[in-house]
Amino acid sequence: MQPIETPAGLAAGDLTTNTLKAARQGLLRVHRLLLEVERVELERSRGRLTPNAYLQAVLNEPSFEWLRPASQLIVQIDEALDAAEQDESPVASEVTASLLGQMRGLLTPVPPNTTFAARYLEMLQQHPDVVFAHRDAMAELPKGFLGPLPTQMA
C-alpha cells in the first residue's frame, strides 16, 4: 500500500501517534472553550446552572447540538489512540491522516456550509479566546498537512 501523499508532499506515513495526541489536545482546548461560551450564554437566560443541569444541557439543549461534530471527532481520536495502546502499536498512519484531515476540515469554517462551521465562524468573530485556541489547535497539525486528497478518503 502506498502512503497517502498530501498536496504539500508530506506523506501520511510521516504522521505519528504523538502528532495525533498533540492535535487532540488542541481540539480539546477549542471544544472546552466553545462549551464554556455556550454555557455562559445559556446562564445569561436561565441563571446559574448546577453541574448536573449543565451536563443535561450539553446532552439535550439545541444550543449545544452544533458542537456534536467536534465531540464525535474527539471520541474517534480517543478510540484510535485506545486501540493502538491496547495493541501496543502506533495508530495506523492512514487513520492518523484521516483524523487529522477531519480536524482540519472541522476547524476550517470557510465556507460555512455546515451548522458547525457557521456557528464556529460566529464564535471566531465574537470571542478572541476562541481565535487563540483555534490558532493553537491548527498549529498542532503537521506543517503543510492538508489531509488525504479527496479521492483517497473513503
Side-chain angles (χ1 to χ4, degrees):
M1 176 182 232
Q2 292 185 9
I4 298 170
E5 292 290 332
T6 66
L10 178 68
D14 295 338
L15 304 173
T16 66
T17 299
N18 288 337
T19 304
L20 188 58
K21 287 179 180 179
R24 176 189 175 275
Q25 290 303 314
L27 181 58
L28 280 175
R29 285 189 296 271
V30 169
H31 188 256
R32 191 175 302 119
L33 186 56
L34 295 173
L35 282 168
E36 186 58 32
V37 169
E38 287 293 355
R39 178 182 188 154
V40 168
E41 290 181 16
L42 186 62
E43 286 182 339
R44 280 188 188 134
S45 64
R46 293 194 183 167
R48 187 93 174 130
L49 296 173
T50 64
N52 187 47
Y54 175 57
L55 176 61
Q56 291 304 312
V58 169
L59 295 174
N60 301 311
E61 287 289 324
S63 61
F64 287 91
E65 190 170 322
W66 72 275
L67 286 165
R68 291 209 174 95
S71 304
Q72 291 167 347
L73 181 54
I74 291 166
V75 169
Q76 289 175 351
I77 293 170
D78 287 346
E79 288 173 346
L81 291 170
D82 288 346
E85 186 176 312
Q86 287 179 0
D87 294 343
E88 296 181 4
S89 63
V91 177
S93 59
E94 294 81 11
V95 172
T96 299
S98 175
L99 291 168
L100 294 176
Q102 288 177 57
M103 180 177 155
R104 179 177 295 286
L106 188 69
L107 297 182
T108 305
V110 178
N113 53 7
T114 65
T115 303
F116 180 88
R119 184 71 176 127
Y120 187 54
L121 186 57
E122 288 176 23
M123 291 287 195
L124 287 167
Q125 293 168 341
Q126 296 171 4
H127 302 280
D129 289 345
V130 175
V131 173
F132 293 123
H134 171 86
R135 178 206 57 203
D136 294 344
M138 296 302 279
E140 295 297 346
L141 296 173
K143 187 172 179 138
F145 179 74
L146 301 175
L149 297 173
T151 58
Q152 295 169 326
M153 292 175 62

